Amino acid sequence: MLVVMEKDATKEQIDSVITAIENRGYTARPIPGGDRTAIGVLRNKGAVDASVFLGLPGVKDVVPVTKAYKLVSREVQKEDTVIRVGDVLIGNGHMVMIAGPCAIESETQALTIAGHVKKAGAHMFRGGAFKPRTSPYSFQGLGEEGLKILAKVRQETGLPVITEVMDMETFDLVEEYADIIQIGTRNMQNFSLLRRAGKARKPVCLKRGMAATIDEWLMAAEYIMEGGNSEVILCERGVRTFVNHSRNTLDISAVPVVRKESHLPIIIDPSHAAGRRDQVIPLSRASTAVGAHGLMVEVHHEPDKAMSDGAQSLYPEQFAGLCVQVRAISDLFKGDEGF
Ligand code: PEP
Ligand code: MN
């Protein structure tokens, strides 16, 4: 349930509503909006008696939330969430381009690729330092050394960096270095990790589990928001299907569904969806047209020598061409209210 305050409600009135909610054993979560504050009533088992709150000074309305997820839902917040990372805004209508290698392999590799993607127009740099690999014999990432290289990339290029956190043990370390903390597909329902991400002081990019429904994905985001971190970016990266013409199947319809259900920004990772270079550009074009707020694309200057995911990595010149196309497509839809 959501308690919607009057526009001119005072801080004292808001505080007394919070106290009234908490006195009944629920959790109150104030959500400051553009022109009024709403207060989410969480952890209620069963229906809450709305009349108790309706009578309090400063309360305009009490709205039932019909979905199991609350804080992530559009019912609770009508306006799109916009997340600021340095000078980059995610969720405000322009396409954010995030690019870089699958894994950080060396300082030279990272700086070379970062130089290319920055020149092409990328807004952020990606690269894994801790890599979740199917085989224990595959390259597992450079760990802390990789994080230090990411810090160097940020310092040299000015690009904010996004990198994956895999476990609780390394969370503090990743949080210290990353501008956005990524939770990968394999950890989407790692609830202790989600709870820790809820306490993080950095935005979190939550990838969709490869076999997760949209409801499960939004509930995973709810864990992070419920923990107190409202800066969550959703990332669709393809789901498992029966096909073998691509690594996963990009669920492009997730974008309009998520944008209807949630105020959180949604970006698309076409690289892990496709698993092969020749599909990445077409899928990126479609992702732009369908209304994603950004793209996260793997790029490598020497993909044949890449230590992971070379087959799906774009060459830098392909990424540069893609940036031009993405700009043209998103310009077509600028100012389209229903988009
Ligand atoms: C990644 O982006 O580096 C990654 C491992 O992606 P996913 O979790 O989607 O497989
Ligand atoms: Mn990868």
Side-chain angles (χ1 to χ4, degrees), residues 45-216:
K45 295 189 185 72
V48 179
D49 179 7
S51 62
V52 182
F53 304 112
L54 266 175
L56 296 175
V59 173
K60 178 171 189 287
D61 204 0
V62 176
V63 186
V65 177
T66 53
K67 297 284 161 45
Y69 41 83
K70 297 173 195 243
L71 299 173
V72 307
S73 137
R74 273 243 191 248
E75 289 182 310
V76 165
Q77 182 184 313
K78 290 212 167 24
E79 316 83 50
D80 284 347
T81 286
V82 178
I83 295 170
R84 175 181 283 280
V85 183
D87 294 333
V88 184
L89 293 176
I90 308 174
N92 77 334
H94 92 283
M95 281 292 280
V96 173
M97 298 297 282
I98 304 169
C102 179
I104 302 297
E105 299 166 6
S106 69
E107 188 174 309
T108 313
Q109 173 249 20
L111 285 171
T112 305
I113 299 170
H116 284 300
V117 300
K118 182 177 176 165
K119 195 161 151 240
H123 306 99
M124 290 192 71
F125 184 73
R126 65 145 286 146
F130 295 96
K131 294 301 305 174
R133 302 305 301 277
T134 302
S135 162
Y137 307 115
S138 302
F139 175 59
Q140 306 284 307
L142 295 180
E144 186 168 5
E145 192 195 335
L147 296 175
K148 289 190 171 140
I149 295 172
L150 282 167
K152 182 92 193 263
V153 167
R154 174 175 46 220
Q155 191 194 334
E156 300 264 311
T157 62
L159 295 175
V161 298
I162 172 167
T163 196
E164 178 166 352
V165 68
M166 271 180 34
D167 49 40
M168 298 289 270
E169 290 75 16
T170 54
F171 206 113
D172 288 357
L173 196 61
V174 173
E175 183 177 5
E176 185 187 323
Y177 284 94
D179 295 298
I180 297 183
I181 302 164
Q182 178 174 320
I183 295 190
T185 192
R186 293 161 187 80
N187 266 321
M188 189 207 81
Q189 281 187 320
N190 180 337
F191 298 113
S192 38
L193 204 64
L194 297 176
R195 284 201 191 283
R196 173 63 184 85
K199 300 279 168 257
R201 287 157 288 105
K202 300 273 175 73
V204 175
C205 175
L206 179 65
K207 290 193 138 193
R208 179 178 179 183
M210 61 183 86
T213 63
I214 290 179
D215 277 4
E216 287 164 341

Side-chain angles (χ1 to χ4, degrees), residues 102 126 131 247 272 298 308-309 312:
C102 179
R126 65 145 286 146
K131 294 301 305 174
R247 183 170 170 185
H272 291 90
E298 287 185 342
S308 63
D309 287 348
Q312 68 196 31

Side-chain angles (χ1 to χ4, degrees), residues 74 80 93 255-262 266 288-293 330 332-339:
R74 273 243 191 248
D80 284 347
V255 176
V257 174
V258 164
R259 288 192 58 166
K260 189 166 168 217
E261 293 296 323
S262 175
I266 174 167
T288 311
V290 84
H293 296 105
S330 50
L332 276 177
F333 299 104
K334 242 186 206 135
D336 182 345
E337 283 301 304
F339 186 52

